[in-house]
Amino acid sequence: MHKFISPFIQRKQKRITKKVVLTTEKGKQSCFSLHLLVAKYFIPNPNNYSHVLAKDDDYTNCDVANLYWSPTRLSGHFCSECGATIKTSDTLCRLCKKKLQRRKEFENIALDTLSPENRDIISMYLNGDSYEKIGQKYGYSREMIHHFIKRANLNVPVSTKSSSLERCSCELCGCPTSGERLCSTCQKRLSREQEFNRLDLTDPQLPYSDFAKLYMTGSSMTAIARELHVSRERAYVILEKIRKYYKQKYTEDLSCSN
């Protein structure tokens, strides 16, 4: 027969755990970690793992839902909502954080008043899907989905004629827009053409010509960085070098013409 002593806190190797002392009738005492006892008798271990870890890294929290068996001593962090492994000590993963934030945005909005298509779009948004993924499914641009979500979040009718999305097209490329004349890509392209109106992409002395060609098409810096296998920070450094070269060459050409 064992005598159960109230658990006490013990610090060991920067880990704070609860300990209990069990005493037999003969007076022999044994000290055990409380979280190990809880896991041994209340948590299944079908894979015969030898280590018990805490999801929140708090080993004084010996709740069954907080403990799990692990093959290694390395402590992992798990999302309390979906159970996914996360690298930080947060209780929610990135996707669940996004879902929670979006649900709070629409908690006071009645989705039943929307059309079936718009209701499905909002449902995908609340499930954490990106604007690009939603737009690909329903044939809208990313800007159009963002425009709709923003107006729906403010509880403003998307259209004065109907509650459905309006399909407008860019005057230059024909892709769907959210009621504007030009899509964001064409707007970027025209703005960059004005900035580098005298830039010759075939110039052999032009530094980073591949970058310049992609930049002049209106591609985003993220897309360009992904295409050239560089970071966004490196892409901005390259852009500044191209601007410096363009400024110097334009100044030289202007001085020669005078």
Side-chain angles (χ1 to χ4, degrees), residues 145-167:
I145 296 296
H146 175 71
H147 173 75
F148 169 73
I149 295 295
K150 183 177 180 180
R151 293 180 66 84
N153 185 18
L154 296 174
N155 205 12
V156 178
V158 178
S159 171
T160 56
K161 298 180 180 179
S162 65
S163 61
S164 60
L165 290 170
E166 295 179 349
R167 293 181 182 269

Side-chain angles (χ1 to χ4, degrees), residues 117 121-122 125 129-136 138-152 165 177-178:
E117 181 183 275
I121 290 175
I122 297 297
Y125 176 76
D129 293 325
S130 62
Y131 296 142
E132 289 84 357
K133 185 176 181 179
I134 300 173
Q136 290 175 0
Y138 292 98
Y140 298 105
S141 66
R142 179 188 182 280
E143 293 77 13
M144 196 169 185
I145 296 296
H146 175 71
H147 173 75
F148 169 73
I149 295 295
K150 183 177 180 180
R151 293 180 66 84
L165 290 170
T177 65
S178 57

Side-chain angles (χ1 to χ4, degrees), residues 49-79:
Y49 291 153
S50 55
H51 302 283
V52 179
L53 302 179
K55 293 182 179 180
D56 59 358
D57 271 352
D58 181 9
Y59 288 87
T60 62
N61 179 12
C62 299
D63 190 270
V64 173
N66 186 50
L67 302 176
Y68 65 99
W69 289 96
S70 173
T72 65
R73 292 181 180 271
L74 297 178
S75 178
H77 299 281
F78 296 88
C79 175

Side-chain angles (χ1 to χ4, degrees), residues 104-119:
K104 289 182 179 179
E105 293 175 0
F106 284 86
E107 61 183 356
N108 296 325
I109 298 177
L111 301 181
D112 297 337
T113 59
L114 300 175
S115 65
E117 181 183 275
N118 294 344
R119 191 162 51 247

Side-chain angles (χ1 to χ4, degrees), residues 196-228:
F196 298 99
N197 57 346
R198 301 184 62 182
L199 182 65
D200 184 10
L201 297 176
T202 61
D203 184 2
Q205 297 181 354
L206 176 65
Y208 306 103
S209 57
D210 294 339
F211 179 94
K213 292 177 182 177
L214 291 173
Y215 183 76
M216 296 303 293
T217 61
S219 300
S220 65
M221 297 299 286
T222 303
I224 297 174
R226 190 184 301 115
E227 181 70 21
L228 300 180

